[in-house]
Amino acid sequence: MFEEITKGKKPIPEKLVSYGFKGDGDFFQYFTEILSGAFALTVQIGADNIIKTDLIEKETGESYILYKINASGGYVGEIRSAIEQILCDIVQNCYETAIFKTVQAQMAIEFVREIYGDEPEFLWTKFPDNAIWRRKDNKKWYGAILTVAGKKIGLKSDGIEEIIDLRMNPAEAETILSRDDYYPGWHMNKKSWYTLVLNGSIPDEELKERIRESYKLAGK
């Protein structure tokens, strides 16, 4: 029930709390009313990120389950519509697109969120698995997180990789690109951008420092 609403997305715990959910990192609950207070709705999000709902008819105090089965009729449809509207609002305000799967890609996204308050921007309809980060003050990009075949960036494997493009000082390009696991910027100006593969080949702390440097360079 309502699975399509969250397809390809995952909740952001901090935003769930800001929205009004109660709980901790593994389980969240949100309570509200629908249809002018006729029903009490509970929305639950567990560790599996699946949304579950429970509806109580306030007049009788009993659970109302007809909206979960194949029951038809105008009233049931009105209830489903009201619940769906609430869930869509929750997803819009509290979820992010969950395109990137690697642990390190998710770490980088969370790091940028915590340090700069920025979310990945998905700019290209034809390339839904490519995103960028940009500074709030001057709108300049300081990073891009992309999905690409390994051979296209110089790997021996042609498997699909999640990568990050970051800025560099052109004067330091030769030194930076001489390092193991550093590659010329994919689909970027190779004089001022380089690419890292988000597969753990670069330690997390090193990646964080590279993101910080790229952010500073975008501010100049």
Side-chain angles (χ1 to χ4, degrees):
M1 177 63 65
F2 307 116
E3 291 84 359
E4 288 297 318
I5 295 174
T6 58
K7 187 175 181 179
K9 300 179 181 296
K10 67 176 183 179
I12 302 171
E14 294 82 0
K15 292 190 174 183
L16 290 175
V17 172
S18 297
Y19 193 88
F21 278 81
K22 306 296 182 183
D24 54 34
D26 294 324
F27 185 79
F28 293 90
Q29 282 190 320
Y30 175 72
F31 306 96
T32 189
E33 296 180 345
I34 64 170
L35 299 189
S36 301
F39 293 90
L41 174 66
T42 301
V43 180
Q44 300 175 342
I45 302 176
D48 55 6
N49 293 336
I50 296 176
I51 286 185
K52 297 179 181 179
T53 59
D54 185 56
L55 198 62
I56 300 296
E57 190 172 11
K58 295 182 71 175
E59 184 177 351
T60 65
E62 296 180 353
S63 180
Y64 187 92
I65 64 171
L66 291 180
Y67 74 99
K68 294 184 177 181
I69 61 178
N70 292 327
S72 59
Y75 192 57
V76 175
E78 188 177 356
I79 290 172
R80 288 196 188 104
S81 179
I83 295 173
E84 183 173 356
Q85 184 176 355
I86 290 171
L87 298 184
C88 285
D89 190 65
I90 291 170
V91 169
Q92 181 177 352
N93 286 281
C94 305
Y95 277 61
E96 65 178 341
T97 302
I99 296 295
F100 305 106
K101 308 300 183 184
T102 65
V103 172
Q104 197 164 49
Q106 295 175 17
M107 182 281 296
I109 291 170
E110 182 61 28
F111 174 74
V112 169
R113 178 182 298 124
E114 290 179 357
I115 300 300
Y116 305 117
D118 294 332
E119 300 292 339
E121 297 181 44
F122 295 84
L123 304 180
W124 304 282
T125 302
K126 291 184 178 180
F127 303 99
D129 50 2
N130 292 338
I132 61 96
W133 291 294
R134 71 176 100 205
R135 291 180 60 118
K136 294 184 178 69
D137 51 3
N138 60 15
K139 306 303 180 184
K140 287 186 178 180
W141 298 8
Y142 61 90
I145 184 167
L146 315 166
T147 303
V148 64
K151 285 186 177 179
K152 291 186 177 181
I153 61 170
L155 300 181
K156 294 181 179 179
S157 169
D158 200 30
I160 300 300
E161 301 285 352
E162 293 175 0
I163 64 173
I164 186 170
D165 282 352
L166 297 169
R167 288 179 178 268
M168 63 181 171
N169 186 332
E172 300 175 353
E174 184 175 352
T175 299
I176 290 174
L177 293 176
S178 68
R179 300 171 182 169
D180 290 341
D181 301 312
Y182 282 67
Y183 304 91
W186 170 249
H187 268 308
M188 295 291 193
N189 185 330
K190 291 175 173 50
K191 294 181 180 180
S192 53
W193 290 81
Y194 62 92
T195 290
L196 302 175
V197 182
L198 297 172
N199 61 1
S201 57
I202 302 297
D204 285 355
E205 291 306 313
E206 182 177 346
L207 175 59
K208 291 177 182 179
E209 185 58 31
R210 300 288 84 80
I211 292 173
R212 290 190 186 99
E213 290 178 358
S214 187
Y215 184 87
K216 291 177 182 178
L217 286 170
K220 295 181 180 180

